[in-house]
């Protein structure tokens, strides 16, 4: 029982409640990660659960890694080397689908399309269907993703919609989108969940296998689950009913990406014999901040009552400022920053919409304040990284047309739409999809003897008859791809070296040198390519299976999307600039919450919708509970809206905080 020493009473109750369904309502800063990790260690060391029989799922790779490290530290030597499955929902989905790909009509080498890839498919469909420009591909894609998260299949979409022209169009595109991903042996992130649900529903013997394997299931950040995620854990826990969900309905802020706070109600309904444990003692913030947070969130209806408290003795009033304009708002932050010269890493400026960062960036650059902007272009979304990954995806999966179309003329090979159309015609003659024709054709062009081993006689004959002239016309494309594809089948190939071999084979470095505008850009872009190889080196991926694992791990990375502006200044550390959504799960000694005006926060899209207004209030609750000691709330009397400068009204949330907790400056 030494594991639970140092836990408070509620935390101990949460750890020790191991029979049947358990709902842990964990308030902000209440130590839920510690509870989860100690609970897993308790299941293994005290209750003799095999580590392999425990499944713990959370929402970011960073959080999963932290849990794994903490669990390893808690387990005695005899349990080291055997690990519970700790990962994200999507990594768990990929784990299952790789093992049962054929049961859902895929090859195990399937590609996981990121958001850019998915949007490319939707745009292609919209173009082929000659849709009106009024139907925006990104909005259609959002509707498809939302439907998948709710478990609505393409065939069911129209009957579950409003039935207007836009929904009819979405239904049509959705059906074609599913067909094209299937044809390209690809899945999107939503499929990593919805296809698992489908796998379990259509193959009860497979579900039974994993029900037997995973005897205890834990879900972190449960308030952020969508319906498909809940269906997965509910199915797995149906027999043994050892399901522990940990969350806080007051921090449910992701409805726009499919999360539903109603899953807490569904859990209570589906598991009526559940136990509830509330974690209300906060270890992060002062009493003033917590009292303000409790007042704010208490105005939301139909929540399970919970009140955060702390035994901290330090008290600082919440500082409220009403400034003339965004520049004055940023200057006010600058003046207050003089107090924190010793550690700017403990300071964050948060805002509801990303566009509000501009005035702070301008002021910080002008006065030499180091800062980091969180929410910029992430590493795996940089052009050169996506290009090389597209090569490797195509090499790994011969049906991946999205990746092929990205690389077919990168570097430039004078292959335009006309040539691609000709490729398609030849592919049809060879009874292949475009990507298959180029993949198999590359092997035929590069090494006919190796191609005979890899390609069926029928396809080989068709490719040779259809494509011999085109192989001669574009030798650079087919020779380069053929060489890279052949290398990828070497069972001992080191994937880090393979990445750089692809870069060299296709002449990518030379292309960067030609297209970059400055020497610094050349160095930066090539350094990113080398960093991609370093990722493979770090994880020691080897062989064809290592190639697929490399791509899968990258696809599942939850990027921080952090871009740091390297501004030199006289003080140590960097101030963090980020949206409130990006700040979820973080904490700072001092938080400046800017742009507190009606129409910005709460957002004008939510003002007429009671459900969305509840989420806006939860978002404000999340924002202020990021602060440990000092909290500043500011608004601007005037705000630029397009070409107009408008007068603003202070956010209603400022008035909701009792006067005794705040001071106006």
């Amino acid at each position: 029982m030494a594991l639970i020493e140092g836990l408070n009473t509620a935390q101990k109750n949460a750890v020790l409640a191991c029979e049947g369904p358990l709902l842990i309502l964990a308030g902000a800063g209440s130590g839920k990660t510690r509870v989860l990790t100690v609970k897993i260690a308790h299941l293994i060391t005290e209750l003799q659960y095999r580590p392999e029989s425990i499944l713990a799922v959370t929402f970011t790779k960073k959080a999963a890694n932290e849990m794994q490290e903490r669990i390893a530290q808690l387990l005695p030597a005899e349990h080291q080397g055997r690990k519970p499955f700790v990962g994200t929902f999507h990594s768990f989905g990929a784990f299952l689908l790789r093992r049962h790909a054929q049961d859902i009509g895929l090859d195990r080498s399937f590609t996981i399309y990121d958001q850019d890839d998915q949007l490319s498919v939707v745009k292609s469909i919209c173009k082929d269907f000659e849709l009106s420009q009024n139907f925006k591909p990104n909005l259609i894609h959002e509707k498809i993703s939302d439907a998948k998260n709710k478990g609505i299949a393409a065939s069911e979409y129209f009957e579950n919609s409003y039935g207007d022209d836009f929904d009819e169009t979405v239904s049509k595109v959705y059906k074609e989108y599913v067909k094209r991903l299937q044809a390209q042996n690809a899945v999107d992130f939503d499929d990593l969940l919805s296809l698992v649900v489908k796998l379990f529903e259509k193959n009860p013997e497979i579900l039974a296998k994993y029900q037997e394997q995973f005897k205890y299931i834990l879900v972190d950040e449960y308030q952020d689950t969508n319906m498909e995620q809940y269906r997965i854990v509910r199915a797995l826990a149906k027999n043994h009913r050892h399901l522990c969900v940990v969350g806080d309905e007051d921090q449910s802020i992701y409805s726009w990406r499919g999360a539903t706070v109603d899953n807490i109600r569904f859990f209570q309904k589906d598991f009526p014999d559940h136990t509830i444990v509330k974690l209300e003692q906060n270890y992060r913030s002062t009493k003033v901040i917590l009292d303000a947070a409790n007042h704010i969130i208490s105005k939301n209806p139909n929540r399970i009552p919970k009140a955060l408290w702390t035994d901290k003795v330090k008290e600082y009033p919440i500082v409220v400022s009403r400034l003339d304009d965004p520049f004055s708002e940023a200057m006010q932050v600058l003046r207050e920053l003089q107090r924190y010269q010793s550690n700017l890493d403990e300071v964050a400026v948060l805002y509801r919409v990303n566009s509000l960062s501009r005035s702070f960036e301008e002021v910080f650059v002008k006065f030499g304040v180091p800062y980091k902007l969180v929410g910029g272009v992430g590493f795996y979304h940089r052009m050169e990284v996506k290009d090389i990954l597209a090569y490797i995806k195509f090499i790994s999966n011969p049906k991946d047309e999205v990746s092929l179309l990205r690389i077919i003329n990168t570097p430039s090979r004078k292959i335009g739409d006309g040539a691609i159309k000709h490729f398609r015609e030849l592919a049809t003659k060879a009874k292949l999809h475009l990507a298959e024709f180029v993949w198999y054709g590359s092997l035929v062009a590069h090494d006919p003897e190796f191609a005979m081993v890899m390609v069926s006689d029928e396809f080989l004959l068709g490719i040779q008859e259809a494509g011999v002239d085109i192989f001669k016309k574009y030798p650079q494309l087919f020779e380069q791809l053929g060489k890279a594809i052949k290398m990828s089948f070497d069972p001992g190939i080191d994937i880090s070296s393979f990445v750089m071999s692809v870069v060299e084979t296709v002449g990518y470095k030379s292309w960067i040198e030609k297209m970059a505008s400055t020497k610094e850009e050349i160095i930066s872009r090539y350094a990113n390519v080398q960093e991609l190889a370093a990722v493979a080196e770090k994880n020691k991926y080897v062989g064809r299976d290592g190639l697929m694992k490399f791509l899968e791990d990258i696809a599942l990375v939850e990027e921080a999307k952090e871009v740091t502006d390297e501004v030199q200044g006289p003080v140590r550390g960097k101030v963090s600039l980020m949206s409130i959504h990006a700040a979820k799960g973080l904490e700072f000694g001092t938080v400046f919450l800017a742009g507190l005006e009606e129409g910005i926060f709460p957002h004008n899209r939510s003002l007429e919708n009671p459900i969305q207004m509840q989420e806006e209030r939860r978002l404000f609750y999340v924002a202020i509970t990021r602060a440990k000691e000092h909290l500043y709330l500011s608004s601007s009397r005037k705000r630029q809206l397009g070409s107009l400068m408008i007068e603003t009204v202070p956010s209603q949330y400022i008035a909701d905080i009792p006067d005794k907790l705040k001071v106006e400056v």
Side-chain angles (χ1 to χ4, degrees), residues 384 388 391-392 411 480 484 487 496-512 526 529-530 532-533:
E384 58 278 9
I388 300 305
Y391 270 103
I392 298 173
Q480 288 174 345
M487 281 192 296
S496 175
S497 300
F498 177 68
V499 170
M500 296 311 296
S501 294
V502 171
V503 172
E504 180 182 353
T505 299
V506 303
Y508 196 83
K509 185 179 181 183
S510 299
W511 184 67
I512 289 176
Y526 192 64
V529 172
Q530 292 174 309
L532 180 63

Side-chain angles (χ1 to χ4, degrees), residues 325-344:
D325 52 42
F327 180 78
S328 301
E329 189 177 21
M331 288 299 296
Q332 170 75 355
V333 171
L334 183 69
R335 287 190 291 271
E336 293 295 334
L337 281 178
Q338 294 175 355
R339 302 179 183 217
Y340 310 108
Q341 290 189 9
S342 61
N343 192 0
L344 291 184

Side-chain angles (χ1 to χ4, degrees), residues 272-449:
D273 55 334
H274 68 279
T275 300
I276 294 182
V277 176
K278 298 179 184 179
L279 304 182
E280 297 171 295
Q281 183 174 358
N282 178 283
Y283 294 92
R284 175 189 302 154
S285 305
T286 65
K287 185 176 184 300
V288 167
I289 293 171
L290 297 180
D291 285 350
N294 289 331
H295 272 90
I296 290 291
I297 203 63
S298 67
K299 293 183 178 293
N300 266 1
N302 303 319
R303 55 184 287 272
I304 301 172
K306 182 174 81 278
L308 298 179
W309 62 275
T310 184
D311 55 11
K312 285 188 173 184
V313 294
K314 279 187 177 180
E315 290 296 318
Y316 305 97
I318 297 168
V319 179
V320 178
S321 302
R322 179 83 167 147
L323 290 310
D324 289 337
D325 52 42
F327 180 78
S328 301
E329 189 177 21
M331 288 299 296
Q332 170 75 355
V333 171
L334 183 69
R335 287 190 291 271
E336 293 295 334
L337 281 178
Q338 294 175 355
R339 302 179 183 217
Y340 310 108
Q341 290 189 9
S342 61
N343 192 0
L344 291 184
D345 288 329
E346 274 290 308
V347 180
V349 179
L350 308 182
Y351 32 76
R352 175 64 179 86
V353 292
N354 283 316
S355 59
L356 266 63
S357 72
R358 184 182 60 83
S359 58
F360 295 98
E361 290 188 76
E362 290 178 359
V363 167
F364 288 177
V365 168
K366 182 177 180 179
F367 290 93
V369 177
Y371 71 93
K372 54 186 176 183
L373 178 63
V374 180
V377 179
F379 176 75
Y380 293 112
H381 289 274
R382 294 169 187 170
M383 180 199 76
E384 58 278 9
V385 175
K386 286 189 70 68
D387 286 345
I388 300 305
L389 281 175
Y391 270 103
I392 298 173
K393 286 179 183 179
F394 175 69
I395 289 165
S396 173
N397 175 14
K399 295 182 180 180
D400 186 351
E401 185 172 316
V402 169
S403 294
L404 170 66
L405 292 177
R406 183 179 183 102
I407 65 174
I408 198 167
N409 200 41
T410 303
S412 176
R413 303 182 178 99
K414 298 182 180 179
I415 299 176
D417 291 343
I420 293 172
K421 181 180 179 182
H422 185 41
F423 284 12
R424 287 191 189 279
E425 291 169 354
L426 295 176
T428 301
K429 285 178 65 177
K431 299 180 181 179
L432 293 167
H433 294 294
L434 170 65
E436 290 176 308
F437 175 76
V438 174
W439 197 91
Y440 291 133
S442 298
L443 281 183
V444 171
H446 174 70
D447 190 334
E449 291 186 11

Side-chain angles (χ1 to χ4, degrees), residues 28-158:
S30 61
K32 70 176 179 62
T33 302
R34 185 182 182 193
V35 168
L36 269 173
T37 53
V38 171
K39 188 176 184 72
I40 292 171
H42 175 74
L43 289 168
I44 295 170
T45 59
E46 301 295 333
L47 301 186
Q48 303 301 306
Y49 275 84
R50 290 184 305 107
E52 300 85 355
S53 70
I54 297 171
L55 170 65
V57 283
T58 186
F59 279 79
T60 69
K61 190 172 183 179
K62 179 181 177 182
N65 289 342
E66 182 183 351
M67 285 178 64
Q68 287 174 330
E69 290 170 4
R70 290 202 192 185
I71 293 166
Q73 292 169 0
L74 291 169
L75 293 177
E78 62 265 26
H79 292 290
Q80 298 295 331
R82 299 171 59 203
K83 300 178 181 178
F85 189 109
V86 180
T88 65
F89 269 102
H90 291 98
S91 67
F92 181 62
F95 163 81
L96 293 175
L97 296 182
R98 289 284 182 209
R99 284 152 182 77
H100 303 283
Q102 291 185 338
D103 295 294
I104 51 172
L106 292 170
D107 183 272
R108 66 182 299 268
S109 66
F110 64 79
T111 300
I112 302 172
Y113 280 172
D114 64 19
Q115 188 147 336
D116 291 341
D117 297 333
Q118 296 162 34
L119 194 54
S120 293
V121 176
V122 173
K123 286 179 177 177
S124 175
I125 295 170
C126 291
K127 182 180 179 181
D128 292 347
F129 286 178
E130 298 181 346
L131 297 182
S132 165
Q133 292 186 353
N134 293 328
F135 297 127
K136 303 296 184 185
N138 60 322
L139 296 179
I140 294 174
H141 175 254
E142 285 179 12
K143 287 285 188 180
I144 292 172
S145 178
D146 184 59
K148 286 190 176 187
N149 284 326
K150 292 176 180 175
I152 301 172
S155 59
E156 305 166 339
Y157 180 83
F158 190 68

